[in-house]
Amino acid sequence: DAQRGAVIWQKHLGKDCGVEPPNWGLSGSPVVIGDLIVLNAGPYGTALRKQDGGLAWGGQKGPAGYASAVPYEQQGKSCAVILGHRELFGIVAATGQVLWKQPWTTMHDENIPDQIVAGDNLFVCSGHGTGAALFRIEPDKLVQLWSHKNLQNWLSSSALWKGHVYGVDTGKAKGVTCLDLQTGDVKW
């Protein structure tokens, strides 16, 4: 309760929902989409009902990623993109239906930074030599627009501002890097 701070409901995702946490535990933030709380938990996400914490969909055993779900709209539906254990995937928020999948692997399966959705574009970046990529979101797949290793976020998420992506590179540059979102060109 926001006024009193009293707990209205509480769920243990493992015991109550059957979710198996990844090696370093669940770390993505809960994301409210409509009447659901969408989590990067289980192989293809999990959603709980806001009112009572009941399981709406998901809850399967299997590894998850560490990033938060990122909401977006597709063909008039509220959706979310999730950077899972070894792939990116898009889901319909209301049902958990998987719309598309795209392999995305990192050393130690550390898919940690949150993705960025800008219109029908999806920016993703990971560390450990993986790098960054921009995809166009289509109804049933992602189309890669560019990919390189000039930005490798390991733990922190990038930020998008006025067509540029700013991130902390843990690769070659070892510092803050600015990319042009559309081309992937390093600005500085």
Side-chain angles (χ1 to χ4, degrees):
D1 181 287
Q3 299 298 319
R4 300 185 324 266
V7 174
I8 296 172
W9 58 262
Q10 187 174 29
K11 292 290 178 184
H12 184 283
L13 291 173
K15 288 187 253 177
D16 297 335
C17 301
V19 170
E20 174 186 335
N23 288 344
W24 294 281
L26 297 169
S27 62
S29 299
V31 175
V32 177
I33 302 175
D35 292 334
L36 299 176
I37 299 167
V38 178
L39 303 150
N40 188 353
Y44 291 103
T46 297
L48 305 177
R49 290 186 297 276
K50 269 191 329 188
Q51 291 304 104
D52 60 9
L55 182 65
W57 52 262
Q60 297 105 4
K61 289 201 180 296
Y66 299 97
S68 302
V70 175
Y72 75 99
E73 294 288 322
Q74 183 172 326
Q75 297 181 318
K77 293 181 181 175
S78 293
C79 299
V81 60
I82 298 176
L83 181 53
H85 179 64
R86 293 184 178 157
E87 62 189 351
L88 284 159
F89 55 92
I91 56 150
V92 176
T95 64
Q97 172 196 357
V98 177
L99 298 168
W100 47 262
K101 299 177 190 179
Q102 175 70 38
W104 189 266
T105 58
T106 57
M107 184 185 304
H108 310 299
D109 300 320
E110 291 181 351
N111 283 333
I112 299 169
D114 294 346
Q115 317 69 253
I116 296 172
V117 176
D120 63 351
N121 289 329
L122 169 63
F123 173 82
V124 63
C125 189
S126 294
H128 296 300
T130 303
L134 184 70
F135 296 93
R136 184 177 61 248
I137 302 170
E138 295 194 351
D140 61 349
K141 65 182 175 182
L142 293 180
V143 174
Q144 185 172 301
L145 303 176
W146 59 259
S147 175
H148 60 58
K149 296 184 182 193
N150 294 326
L151 177 58
Q152 299 177 46
N153 290 354
W154 176 37
L155 297 173
S156 61
S157 300
S158 295
L160 176 64
W161 179 251
K162 296 186 178 182
H164 293 86
V165 175
Y166 301 87
V168 178
D169 180 57
T170 59
K172 185 177 175 184
K174 302 262 190 259
V176 179
T177 299
C178 174
L179 303 178
D180 181 288
L181 176 67
Q182 294 304 313
T183 66
D185 293 343
V186 175
K187 301 312 262 182
W188 50 265

